[in-house]
Amino acid sequence: MAPAIAVDHVSKAYRLGLIGGRTLQEDLASWWARTRGRPDPLLAVGPEHHERRIGQQFWALDDVTFEVEEQEILGIIGRNGAGKSTLLKILSQITSPTSGQVTIKGRVASLLEVGTGFHPDLTGRENIFLNGAILGMTKAEIRSKFDEIAAFSECEDFLDTPVKRYSSGMYVRLAFAIAAHLEPEVLLVDEVLAVGDAKFQKKCLGKMGEVSRHGRTVLFVSHNLVAVQSLCRRAIHLRDGRLVDQGPATTVVSRYLRDVHPLDGPREWSGPADAPGDGALRVRSVGATPVDHRSAGLITMKSPVRIDTEFWILTPDAKTHITYHLVNEHGIVVLTTGSPSERRAPGVYRASFVVPGSLLNSGVYSLRFMIIHDGNRRTFEQDGLASFVVVDSAERADAYLGREPGIVQPPLSWEVAALSDVSLRTDPTNERR
Amino acid sequence: MQRSSPPNVRAAITIIGPYRGWFDWRLRQLWRYRDLVTLLVWRDFVSIYKQTILGPGWHIVQTLLTTFTFTIIFAKIAGLPTDGVPPFFFYLAGTVLWSYFASSLNSISRTFVTNAGLFGKVYFHRLVIPVSIVISNLVAFAIQFSMFLVLLAAHRLFGGALHLSVWTLLTPVFLVMLAGYALGVGIIVCALTIRYRDLAHLVTFGVQLLMYGTPVIYPLSVVPEQYRMVLLLNPLTPVIEGFRLGFLGVGTVEPSQLAASFGIMLLVLAVGFMLFSHVEHIFMDTV
């Protein structure tokens, strides 16, 4: 069976610099100068300017080839500027590729921008028809789905009110309802999860699942990697316009995460003179590593993390110890931990501790480093001595896909037990009482 | 979920490739967007008149005021002849036709500027917008033209002359030609504004000047013989003269001139389609 979407060696070049229209006067001035053999007055602002005007090419997409099977939900991941939006723009025919070809079976609709073409003075009812037609529906189609759209939008009571009087929530709901009822063969979804509350997200995701169950194909662009892993079987990874990875979504996502959050090697200092510390103790190196082997260089919420600190002891008579604050990205100290307080002979030492796995929530953590003398006298403190990222790797079937709130997120075991006769609840005579 | 759209749309295979040349007009695809055209026309009509007192009456007020002004300035003060027709009807006929052409052309030439936001988000055949503008303005024209007919009938009741002829039957042709020229010239300008932004200003101004280069406020018959050729080079001249011949019984026009004008209109449209389809592909990358 032919794939639903075949993207074949697609490239897209944008010209840098020479963007947008020039005025006729500018062109005439250039032309006049050229015909007289003079330098173009609009170019004559140094060599770098010259280059810009001639127009360098910027390849937003560079020889991208992939296929999407029917009924598949394909995730597209990549950093900002990797070419994801350009790809969707080509697929939705807003811009055409510079070279290569895309073949799509059936109608394409996108949830790129809901509410496009809404006219503020028209009523909700009128806008459903107008927006539906802009998105590619015929009048007959809209009429047949009108009630469904109105019900989905939860705006039934306001259908004869101009949409400029709508709250922003109603506006988005109405717009999404129309887009969701397009029933295209191919649906392009770009970051719908970024807008709206959890309830709205759930509705969007539910609709996407429904769409794919009805034999449609979905392309899902998102920065929410948990959502990509949960919804998509396959994913592709774009970097600088090139397709660098494709395969099962979980594999592509974890390779992508290693790409984005490369685990910093230990931070090292060459000698005690420039290293952080005081007269008694100086740090030689500090680093964080995941302890479990499964994570392959990535710190997930499940991984225990070992913090290794190597330090120099410079004097034999100071009784010192190291204390760390583990600080999250909101500046909250998640935990404090310290080494035993001891007198040590001068030399190089290594101190390690392990933050247990399945404890920290996802996020960026930094270590605040302190040296304590005699168990209570703090002589040195430095923020951000080292930092590491904990990524959310949880695979959740149908739960909320965003980051759960909470400073820590240990998996807690729940027990639910029946306390009375279960049959009571299903007995209709009891229910009536 | 039921599937209600025609199966041919469903099974359609879309091939998106690089721009394929000057003759990639996709007129069949344009036809598939006819529902969108009608909805856009209807949107224009509804949205313009919401929260206004006079509603569509504005078209009548506007036309009457323009006609009165022309009558006073050109007939009473300047004393321009009107081929023996009551000046009011002479100017009314010209104003009704010209305002259709001018307002269509002006809005079409701003298509890309006005719809940049929409074009950047959704794909539909871009000619849908110019076509819907031409049709939208027909609504205004219909209102003004009806007023013209009513006034003409009243004029007849009070003993005025009425000169209907075979030219009267050509009214739809005149209208099609004005629409064709507005669309053709409009999309040419539209295509050029992508390269030259300031062209849009030139159009508004140019259309105003063109009115004086077209026998709208004077009859072709008063133009000295040696300059008449120049005015006949303007393909809109036979349209205006023909319309007045059809309803007021005066006009200097030959059927061959009208036919030639029709041919030029087709040529202008073809050039327009070529330029428009050419820039349609690069528009989103340049704005």
Side-chain angles (χ1 to χ4, degrees), chain A residues 12 20-22 24 27 92-95 97 100-102 104 106 116 121 126 133 138-139 141 183 185 210, chain B residues 1-2 5 10 12-16 18 35 39 42 47 50-51 118 120-121 123 194-196 198 285-286:
Chain A
K12 174 74 186 179
R22 299 168 71 177
L24 190 55
D27 259 15
S92 54
Q93 286 183 271
I94 287 162
T95 183
Q101 183 171 297
V102 179
I104 300 177
T116 306
D121 280 330
E126 291 164 341
T138 62
K139 261 191 282 188
E141 272 180 280
E183 299 185 17
E185 263 68 43
E210 190 188 321
Chain B
M1 273 195 276
Q2 78 271 35
S5 74
R10 290 274 165 202
I13 289 187
T14 314
I15 293 175
I16 306 163
D35 274 359
L39 279 165
W42 167 81
S47 64
K50 282 206 172 178
Q51 298 189 352
L118 192 55
K121 289 166 188 165
Y123 174 78
I194 290 190
R195 184 109 172 86
Y196 306 113
D198 43 359
D285 305 338
T286 52

Side-chain angles (χ1 to χ4, degrees), chain A residues 227-267:
Chain A
V228 169
Q229 287 180 82
S230 311
L231 291 167
C232 311
R233 204 171 48 80
R234 248 166 37 89
I236 61 172
H237 172 192
L238 294 177
R239 189 205 297 141
D240 302 329
R242 284 191 204 88
L243 191 148
V244 291
D245 197 8
Q246 60 177 321
T250 40
T251 319
V252 173
V253 166
S254 62
R255 283 198 288 244
Y256 165 73
L257 281 170
R258 274 202 293 286
D259 191 47
V260 179
H261 305 296
L263 201 59
D264 297 332
R267 205 171 152 193

